[in-house]
Amino acid sequence: MPKKGGKNAFYFFMIDWKTRAERQGAVFPNGLRDVQLDPDCSAEWKNLTKQEKGKYEAMAKKDKITSQISVVKRTTLGEDINHLEAKAREQQRFKELMNHNIKSMIKTALSEKNLSLQVFVLIHTNYFFKELVAPEKIKYFPAEYAVSIFSLENGIETTQNVVVSIPIPLGYKREALESSKEIHGIPVEYAGGENNFADIYAKLVDFLAPYINEQDKYPPFYTTNENLLPVRSLLEQLCHAVKRDTEQFVVYELETLYARMAEELYKERDDRNVKLIPAYAMHMFKRCTYMSDIGSECAFHKYSTNPTACSSFELQRWVWIFCEEFCESLRIDLRPGVHHPKKERFDNFATVTRTLDNMKIVDNSMSDLSEPENAAILSSTNVSEQHRIKVSSRSYKDELRRRNQSAPIKIIQYGSDESINKLADKAGCSKSDDTNLDESVKNSVEEPVKSKWVPSYLNEKPMKPPNISSCASLTVNNDAAAYNSNFPSIGGRGKSLLGRSNEESRKVTGRGRGYII
């Protein structure tokens, strides 16, 4: 018997032979197992010609194709699991290839002793918005990009910065305006920018032409992990505009370059933990910033309110991070403006951290505050203690002096003789004349005050008895008729309740016929 899912031509012949044999009265209790052991079936199969067996072989081939088609498994979001696994394998292969190429390049440069002069191409882009153009493809609409050529010896050698001013598609202008205001400050559809992707592609190719390698390929681009997708989207749009293959441009992660370079340069150093370098790289490129030496920005951002949002300044920041970390290991003398900012120089980032930890901000206008932390205290109305004291008519010292001079609370014991005499004088009688005392005063003097039970929550009241109306709804003012004397009686069901008293109860004669007068 053939295995399930792998039926051969003889299997379909047995089904056909079994059908013909049963029409002649044959019985097969065990199904195809008995047919397979029948000598007549085997003899007939052997005597078939090649053309006669072709029919059954075609049926076996069709069944094999059908059995290979499996049911598509999907996630809870409706995504094809096989497709996701294939995409994950592709990304894993790309990371392995990226690590291999970067590591080989660094080792070759170290062996030739020219790693300090090795040229790297950095790229960064700002974008207005992103849109989903395919189930798993996102398109980023660029606002600007910057490409820099840098080496550890010379820093940034040259930079190309391009501001993009392509018309915004319908429905995305609001998002583009918000990104412009919050991130990079580039106006939407800026008149001084480039408005043709083909021209931008030509500028980029001309910029990279001197750095084409021996295999006639462009050097790989390096960018941070969070900027990887926007950069790839920009390069795809440029290649699509001139109908070129996007595989000519390869984009690698800058954090991977940082980690691989650290692994090779720190092999003989005991003060660095190489295993923590990848996490350290992610932290450095995201959070490390420089707060001075503005001047690396493009011509547009030079006069903007946020020049550090420029792509060119972002590339300069990456270069400073690399130089601060690796120039010492390569015995490169650090030069201001090339390897670190001109206006600030720290031997390491631990110095920056310690400096920030020791900083204290003191407001001279708050000299009356004895406790500095009061400036950060907020009340339930979100008003700081600093603001309350500042606008108050009394200073903090006056407030403390006023509280110290206030009289303490005087506690009266109603069970003492002094309190009884005061209550008696207030009531107009002597202490001995207890009969003239008010009953409440007498009780308060003779009996000690008992603590009442306090409800466990606010507004707790005893429940009313069921089906009992309040007194206001049951009581009728007898003088109500005097106030209504100028108004004639309406009669019927609409007569006012104020025109009747409790004694004058009137009976209804019938539905719609009014009251008996």
Side-chain angles (χ1 to χ4, degrees), residues 279-295:
Y280 178 72
M282 297 290 292
H283 176 83
M284 291 298 297
F285 288 104
K286 282 185 178 181
R287 300 188 180 183
C288 179
T289 184
Y290 295 85
M291 295 176 287
S292 67
D293 200 60
I294 303 300

Side-chain angles (χ1 to χ4, degrees), residues 301-471:
H301 283 95
K302 184 171 293 187
Y303 303 100
S304 65
T305 57
N306 188 13
T308 58
C310 178
S311 293
S312 297
F313 184 83
E314 190 71 9
L315 297 182
Q316 181 65 78
R317 185 178 69 88
W318 296 350
V319 171
W320 285 337
I321 292 175
F322 263 89
C323 294
E324 290 274 358
E325 187 68 36
F326 301 116
C327 283
E328 180 182 356
S329 300
L330 295 174
R331 296 178 177 84
I332 299 175
D333 296 333
L334 299 178
R335 290 173 289 171
V338 177
H339 303 101
H340 61 82
K342 295 180 181 179
K343 298 181 181 179
E344 61 181 8
R345 173 71 180 99
F346 297 97
D347 294 333
N348 49 53
F349 293 102
T351 307
V352 183
T353 305
R354 288 194 298 269
T355 304
L356 293 176
D357 291 340
N358 296 328
M359 287 179 61
K360 291 185 179 180
I361 301 175
V362 180
D363 189 356
N364 294 330
S365 63
M366 296 305 301
S367 57
D368 291 337
L369 286 174
S370 61
E371 298 294 337
E373 60 270 13
N374 288 340
I377 299 176
L378 297 179
S379 65
S380 59
T381 57
N382 206 26
V383 178
S384 64
E385 185 71 9
Q386 177 181 355
H387 178 75
R388 188 194 68 78
I389 296 175
K390 185 176 180 180
V391 300
S392 177
S393 59
R394 293 186 295 267
S395 64
Y396 186 73
K397 292 182 178 179
D398 294 340
E399 184 70 21
L400 293 178
R401 184 167 54 253
R402 172 178 168 275
R403 293 179 182 179
N404 294 331
Q405 293 176 357
S406 61
I409 299 175
K410 187 176 181 180
I411 301 176
I412 301 176
Q413 297 181 1
Y414 288 99
S416 62
D417 296 338
E418 182 181 357
S419 61
I420 293 176
N421 292 332
K422 288 182 178 180
L423 291 173
D425 294 339
K426 187 176 181 180
C429 61
S430 61
K431 176 184 176 182
S432 59
D433 191 5
D434 294 342
T435 57
N436 295 331
L437 286 173
D438 186 79
E439 190 68 23
S440 61
V441 176
K442 191 173 181 180
N443 293 336
S444 64
V445 173
E446 294 178 354
E447 299 180 2
V449 180
K450 298 181 179 180
S451 61
K452 293 185 65 179
W453 175 76
V454 181
S456 59
Y457 55 90
L458 298 177
N459 300 328
E460 181 175 357
K461 297 180 180 180
M463 296 178 62
K464 290 183 180 180
N467 302 327
I468 295 181
S469 303
S470 62
C471 297

Side-chain angles (χ1 to χ4, degrees), residues 122-127 129 137-147 160-166 194 196-198 200-201 204 221 223 227-242 246 249 251 311:
L122 305 182
I123 184 171
H124 179 272
T125 179
N126 285 315
Y127 59 91
F129 64 90
K137 186 177 181 180
I138 299 177
K139 179 181 178 181
Y140 293 82
F141 204 86
E144 73 162 341
Y145 80 86
V147 180
Q160 182 187 78
N161 188 287
V162 176
V163 178
V164 183
S165 59
I166 303 296
E194 297 286 343
N196 191 325
F197 280 138
I200 299 175
Y201 174 86
L204 179 61
F221 292 96
T223 188
N227 202 245
L228 194 63
L229 293 180
V231 167
R232 287 177 177 172
S233 177
L234 169 66
L235 297 176
E236 287 178 0
Q237 294 178 63
L238 297 181
C239 294
H240 180 73
V242 295
T246 58
F249 296 128
V251 186
S311 293

